Amino acid sequence: MDKLVITGGRPLSGEVTISGAKNAALPILCACLLTPEPLTLTHVPALNDIGTMLKLLVQMGVKVERDADTVRLDASGLNNSVAPYEMVKTMRASILVLGPLVARCGEASVSLPGGCAIGARPVDQHIKGLQAMGAEVTVEHGYVHAKVGRLKGARLFTDMVTVTGTENLMMAACLADGVTLIENAAREPEVVDLAKCLIAMGAKISGAGTDVIRIEGVTDLHGATHRIMPDRIEAGTYLCAAAATGSTVTLNGISSGYLDAVVDKLMDAGCDIVSEKTAEREFIRITAQAKLKAVSIRTAPYPGFPTDMQAQFMAINCIAEGSAVMRETIFENRFMHAVELQRLGANIKIDGNTAFVTGVKRLEGATVMATDLRASASLVIAGLVAEGETHIERIYHLDRGYEQLEAKLMALGAQVRREKA
Ligand code: UD1
């Protein structure tokens, strides 16, 4: 397995261009299943998770053409509505084919994604929503089977805010008979981006970005072209890398609007942040103090502080002045990076869903193991700060979600190399 070797202690400087958002691209790729006409997507990031989703779509009969960051999908020959375990187990977001398949084909069998390192992550809300829309859903031999003539519009209420649950049900409702209301809907910008693409395909959706989404079902959707929004978590990760190393870095292709909660905390930590969005250019520039203040956070659904940025902020708190309390409210097991950060010399105590972090003067390079996508990002940030070499093993997690990570970091002056196993 490949590993990343980082020689820390160097400030970063320069500019980095933010890629398309993984978490917007994944549901939007699945939207192609809703129409026999071609869907063209631009600004699609080259990531392993995107490759996995494309493979899944291809085995369902979707024709895929890829040219640089443009992907053209044609689901006119859709001939298989089964998402097998072998594919789903590598990526939970595969569950996003369920809603569109049931809506277009009247049936689907999707392997249950099961738990993952960060928590149990059930899909009961996706199932409950489809049942309320008239689908007969059974769970047998590890598969969710859903069957229906045509879905019927319904009033849906999810027990908790779920991002992919909202996206799955929104896609399903586009081809349902009548009006669907999704209450307690996720307000994440990626949900809004999916809604924009669906609207371009002829869907009638209002309220995306609020907690009530209204979808008036139509009989058919048509082809469209859509540009994927920038990746706010990738951007947040580079902001944290700059903050931790006391650097000035400019991120191009994104403005701070998507990152309010993150920017707010970085400013509390003592960073200066400017952002601009004009017709010609969009950027965020961060200038960080040599010494940051520790910042307490509590993760929450958007517009709260994103759980996908918790690990990166833990890396910052490890070397900041003072102590921070970090509360994880979305996933039950999302502190696995803490023990790895401790190997670098961090002072962290975990009690249930709360981490108490006290800043130390310096971190020292060591061998650590990446355990999930964002945990890996926190180890990269810590490695950039630590004295000497940090060896990060199992970096396939990073390849799932960060496009050209080493190239981007090296362009900012970091000393990073990948060692092939
Ligand atoms: C999405 C993101 C992920 C992010 C997460 C929370 C994608 C592809 N992934 O994951 O990066 O960390 O949102 O912002 O967009 N839950 C249930 N039953 C359900 C659905 C969810 O109990 O049917 C629970 C989950 O276990 C979790 C919470 O609800 O505790 C939120 O999960 P959810 O928003 O669904 O996360 P994902 O959509 O899987």
Side-chain angles (χ1 to χ4, degrees):
M1 266 183 268
D2 292 3
K3 70 173 175 180
L4 214 57
V5 181
I6 302 180
T7 307
R10 302 172 140 220
L12 306 177
S13 71
E15 304 194 358
V16 60
T17 298
I18 298 306
S19 300
K22 168 178 86 72
N23 285 356
L26 290 172
I28 292 173
L29 287 170
C30 298
C32 82
L33 296 168
L34 289 163
T35 174
E37 293 185 16
L39 177 64
T40 302
L41 304 176
T42 61
H43 204 217
V44 178
L47 298 170
N48 286 354
D49 273 9
I50 300 294
T52 305
M53 186 61 91
L54 291 176
K55 255 192 233 158
L56 179 61
L57 295 172
V58 165
Q59 69 88 38
M60 290 173 171
V62 176
K63 267 196 247 144
V64 175
E65 285 167 29
R66 208 169 168 179
D67 178 18
D69 71 352
T70 299
V71 176
R72 190 170 176 278
L73 304 134
D74 175 350
S76 56
L78 181 64
N79 55 23
N80 174 12
S81 54
V82 180
Y85 174 70
E86 293 67 40
M87 305 208 112
V88 177
K89 73 170 183 202
T90 62
M91 186 182 62
R92 294 184 40 84
S94 314
I95 191 72
L96 284 163
V97 299
L98 179 65
L101 282 176
V102 182
R104 167 124 175 258
C105 311
E107 65 180 326
S109 294
V110 178
S111 172
L112 274 173
C116 70
I118 62 173
R121 300 180 85 174
V123 292
D124 55 314
Q125 302 302 309
H126 305 233
I127 294 175
K128 186 177 99 167
L130 290 174
Q131 283 171 328
M133 295 168 84
E136 222 175 86
V137 185
T138 53
V139 180
E140 273 172 353
H141 307 296
Y143 276 75
V144 181
H145 302 279
K147 208 170 166 47
V148 68
R150 183 179 176 198
L151 290 168
K152 285 194 178 44
R155 189 171 155 224
L156 311 178
F157 185 87
T158 54
D159 296 354
M160 76 291 294
V161 176
T162 154
V163 178
T164 48
T166 301
E167 292 165 343
N168 231 340
L169 297 173
M170 182 165 72
M171 288 193 277
C174 287
L175 292 180
D177 182 15
V179 171
T180 299
L181 285 180
I182 307 176
E183 300 186 5
N184 201 23
R187 291 179 281 170
E188 268 65 3
E190 292 76 14
V191 174
V192 179
D193 205 36
L194 170 63
K196 277 189 195 158
C197 177
L198 293 168
I199 290 167
M201 293 166 72
K204 293 188 175 164
I205 301 174
S206 58
T210 75
D211 60 359
V212 182
I213 303 179
R214 182 180 190 278
I215 306 116
E216 193 181 323
V218 294
T219 48
D220 305 288
L221 293 180
H222 51 71
T225 296
H226 177 79
R227 181 179 163 86
I228 304 292
M229 64 173 281
D231 196 314
R232 64 192 170 102
I233 305 300
E234 185 197 24
T237 302
Y238 283 103
L239 290 177
C240 287
T245 51
S247 311
T248 297
V249 167
T250 303
L251 313 187
N252 290 320
I254 191 164
S255 51
S256 60
Y258 295 121
L259 280 155
D260 283 340
V262 168
V263 163
D264 200 54
K265 288 293 172 188
L266 286 170
M267 287 168 74
D268 285 353
C271 301
D272 269 346
I273 296 183
V274 287
S275 177
E276 210 172 282
K277 186 174 181 172
T278 62
E280 293 80 46
R281 194 171 173 215
E282 209 181 344
F283 71 90
I284 309 177
R285 182 173 304 121
I286 178 167
T287 305
Q289 309 284 337
K291 199 69 193 165
L292 302 173
K293 287 188 282 248
V295 281
S296 292
I297 60 158
R298 178 179 180 278
T299 63
Y302 192 85
F305 186 92
T307 172
D308 285 352
M309 286 302 304
Q310 176 258 106
Q312 298 88 320
F313 266 72
M314 189 176 284
I316 290 185
N317 282 333
C318 286
I319 42 100
E321 248 163 36
S323 303
V325 179
M326 305 184 69
R327 211 154 262 144
E328 172 58 55
T329 74
I330 310 286
F331 293 111
E332 64 267 30
N333 189 25
R334 211 174 192 181
F335 284 141
M336 280 167 303
H337 41 284
V339 281
E340 302 299 317
L341 291 168
Q342 281 165 347
R343 295 175 59 75
L344 302 174
N347 179 354
I348 306 166
K349 291 194 174 52
I350 305 285
D351 181 10
N353 72 344
T354 306
F356 300 90
V357 187
T358 303
V360 295
K361 286 222 156 40
R362 59 191 195 123
L363 297 176
E364 283 176 4
T367 297
V368 291
M369 195 176 72
T371 49
D372 69 63
L373 174 53
R374 306 307 169 185
S376 318
S378 81
L379 298 177
V380 170
I381 294 167
L384 291 171
V385 179
E387 280 173 17
E389 280 193 350
T390 297
H391 294 238
I392 306 177
E393 298 188 336
R394 297 202 183 172
I395 52 162
Y396 55 86
H397 291 290
L398 283 167
D399 296 330
R400 291 185 42 213
Y402 289 93
E403 190 176 48
Q404 303 265 351
L405 179 78
E406 303 106 272
K408 288 187 184 185
L409 285 173
M410 276 156 55
L412 293 174
Q415 216 176 319
V416 182
R417 66 175 194 275
R418 182 181 289 243
E419 282 186 2
K420 296 269 174 205

